[in-house]
Amino acid sequence: MHRILRIVSYILAFAYFLVDALFVSVARPISRWLAHHIRLEWLRAWIRSLPPYPSLALFSVPVIVLEPVKPVSAYLAATGQFLAAAVTFVVGELLKLVLIERLFALTRDKLMKIPAFASAYAYYKQAIGWLTSTAAWQSILALKRAIAEHVRAWRARAFRHLVIYRGR
């Protein structure tokens, strides 16, 4: 029984990290775009001025506030509201990850001064490294590249036809 629970927990952890890694790959460009286009210098300066432990408290706010989105979306799905569940999950996760990404970028040096955080971050990076080295992840990346190439080719054809159409 213990062995079965261990295998199930590994599978669930793998699925959780996989979903988080996929969402992070979407959240990072959004986060960079927001950082470039929305300039709140006074807020950035305040966040950067915080000592390590208040930085950790601020860093944990998006997790505490937005982590309940997962059970809420599961409840919505269980009650047959699949679209609402999907939208709730995707928006909540992206918002959480974008906020965490921005806060981490602003407070990374201070957070790494906290030994427990630095250790947990090292384990997290190790788990992400392992995940991205798996054959399944490499297959997903190859599929993503193939889809992106297909979309680029489709856009080029559509643009070419648009130019020809306008030229008439």
Side-chain angles (χ1 to χ4, degrees), residues 26-56:
V26 173
R28 277 197 180 123
I30 294 170
S31 180
R32 288 185 190 121
W33 184 89
L34 286 172
H36 183 71
H37 289 87
I38 298 175
R39 309 299 284 180
L40 298 173
E41 293 302 325
W42 62 271
L43 183 59
R44 288 179 191 193
W46 177 75
I47 291 170
R48 285 187 178 128
S49 73
L50 292 173
Y53 285 98
S55 294
L56 179 62

Side-chain angles (χ1 to χ4, degrees), residues 86-145:
V87 169
T88 301
F89 181 79
V90 169
V91 170
E93 276 298 297
L94 282 176
L95 183 60
K96 179 181 77 172
L97 291 172
V98 165
L99 289 172
I100 288 172
E101 178 81 22
R102 291 305 325 137
L103 287 171
F104 187 70
L106 294 171
T107 62
R108 184 181 197 280
D109 294 338
K110 298 211 177 134
L111 291 172
M112 291 304 161
K113 291 178 182 176
I114 302 170
F117 187 90
S119 177
Y121 183 71
Y123 282 121
Y124 170 77
K125 291 299 282 183
Q126 186 179 20
I128 293 298
W130 171 81
L131 176 67
T132 57
S133 70
T134 62
W137 188 263
Q138 297 304 316
S139 297
I140 290 170
L141 284 180
L143 180 62
K144 177 185 168 188
R145 283 191 290 269

Side-chain angles (χ1 to χ4, degrees), residues 47-66:
I47 291 170
R48 285 187 178 128
S49 73
L50 292 173
Y53 285 98
S55 294
L56 179 62
L58 181 63
F59 182 74
S60 64
V61 168
V63 176
I64 292 168
V65 171
L66 294 169

Side-chain angles (χ1 to χ4, degrees), residues 11-27:
I11 291 170
L12 290 174
F14 178 80
Y16 182 82
F17 276 119
L18 180 64
V19 168
D20 257 10
L22 290 173
F23 273 97
V24 165
S25 68
V26 173

